[in-house]
Amino acid sequence: MGSRFKDIRAESIRILRVLSYYYSFRDLEEILGVHFQNLWKYVNLHSMPEKDTAERILSKVRELKLVDRILDEELSKAGRELHVLAREPGFLELFTLKFLDFMEREGVDKLDSVIALSCDAMSLATVIALNVRAPTCYLMERGRLERGGLIAAQYKSRKYLELKLLAVPKSCLGGGDAIALVDIELDDIDSIIALSDVVRKGRDVAILAAFISIAKGYLEELASSKIKVLALRVV
């Protein structure tokens, strides 16, 4: 894991909490070389690991690539039902870990908001937003009254061969330097490009987009639009 977390002991507990969804404490004892009762106490916040213990845990997780191994297994089992996978608490925590590392690599410390691009992505967006202390928002295909107003954009969808409308609350755009867009899979690339144009209007904003799965062609097009992308699977 990255160095985003200032306290290495807190980082080790966060990762142990994620691993505990997929391994028993007895299994984790064998994998990490830490007694299962101590691991249980760490996960349930009854005690904190010493710094050297935390470093040993993190080192072993990196060495064995446990997070990536679990993600690969979960994606393989899910097949095309990624929306079901996105309901699972363990997977939500895993996805958030990957996203926090992604933020660190891109040099982003704070987000104005985390915008879900579909209803299925609300769980992902919400867990990420809670971890970075940002508002959770979602796209609306039809406008409705909201305090502070809405910003709407019309765009031509190449996939659906029609003009479409998207709207987002002004409060979701904030006044800072970065916004995250989250979805299970990118359904309509023109919607995210239209949204990025709205977000960037009149200011320089970093846009981070995170998906469980994305088509390779979409990935390349988003890169050309200067949208930074995290994707667990490229197809």
Side-chain angles (χ1 to χ4, degrees):
M1 298 298 101
S3 59
R4 175 181 173 79
F5 304 101
K6 303 298 182 183
D7 188 338
I8 194 170
R9 298 187 302 168
E11 182 181 358
S12 68
I13 289 175
R14 175 187 288 271
I15 293 173
L16 284 175
R17 282 174 58 85
V18 172
L19 295 178
S20 69
Y21 283 102
Y22 300 97
Y23 297 98
S24 70
F25 288 109
R26 290 282 190 180
D27 289 337
L28 287 175
E29 177 181 28
E30 292 186 15
I31 294 169
L32 302 174
V34 179
H35 196 278
F36 77 94
Q37 290 181 332
N38 290 333
L39 294 172
W40 182 90
K41 290 177 182 178
Y42 301 154
V43 168
N44 290 283
L45 304 181
H46 289 286
S47 65
M48 290 283 284
E50 296 296 329
K51 185 178 179 181
D52 62 337
T53 301
E55 289 175 341
R56 189 164 75 251
I57 290 170
L58 294 177
S59 176
K60 201 67 176 178
V61 170
R62 285 191 293 266
E63 176 190 340
L64 298 176
K65 299 181 178 179
L66 290 181
V67 171
D68 289 334
R69 183 189 301 176
I70 294 170
L71 283 173
D72 288 344
E73 291 174 356
E74 290 300 295
L75 290 171
S76 178
K77 286 191 295 184
R80 294 296 303 168
E81 294 189 330
L82 298 179
H83 60 288
V84 177
L85 184 60
R87 302 172 192 161
E88 299 297 325
F91 181 82
L92 294 174
E93 294 282 2
L94 279 169
F95 192 86
T96 300
L97 280 178
K98 298 294 284 187
F99 186 84
L100 293 175
D101 279 350
F102 175 50
M103 282 182 64
E104 182 185 7
R105 291 196 304 272
E106 297 301 332
V108 174
D109 295 320
K110 184 179 179 181
L111 295 172
D112 286 328
S113 64
V114 182
I115 302 176
L117 300 178
S118 69
C119 291
D120 286 337
M122 279 300 298
S123 54
L124 290 173
T126 299
V127 175
I128 290 172
L130 286 170
N131 277 271
V132 299
R133 298 187 177 184
T136 309
C137 298
Y138 61 93
L139 286 185
M140 294 178 283
E141 292 189 348
R142 56 177 63 87
R144 68 181 182 189
L145 294 178
E146 180 162 329
R147 184 181 304 171
L150 301 169
I151 293 180
Q154 193 174 50
Y155 67 94
K156 184 176 181 180
S157 170
R158 286 169 286 175
K159 178 176 181 179
Y160 294 103
L161 301 176
E162 63 182 9
L163 287 175
K164 301 191 76 172
L165 178 73
L166 62 81
V168 62
K170 286 183 180 179
S171 60
C172 291
L173 302 184
D177 300 322
I179 283 177
L181 311 177
V182 180
D183 210 345
I184 308 299
E185 297 179 271
L186 181 52
D187 175 59
D188 185 357
I189 191 168
D190 293 304
S191 67
I192 194 173
I193 291 174
L195 178 59
S196 67
D197 290 341
V198 169
V199 169
R200 288 173 169 156
K201 190 172 184 180
R203 63 192 180 117
D204 185 21
V205 181
I207 298 179
L208 306 183
F211 307 97
I212 296 177
S213 180
I214 191 171
K216 184 177 180 181
Y218 281 176
L219 186 64
E220 293 168 350
E221 188 167 348
L222 290 179
S224 68
S225 298
K226 297 182 179 179
I227 296 173
K228 304 296 184 180
V229 179
L230 167 70
L232 302 186
R233 183 169 73 187
V234 179
V235 295

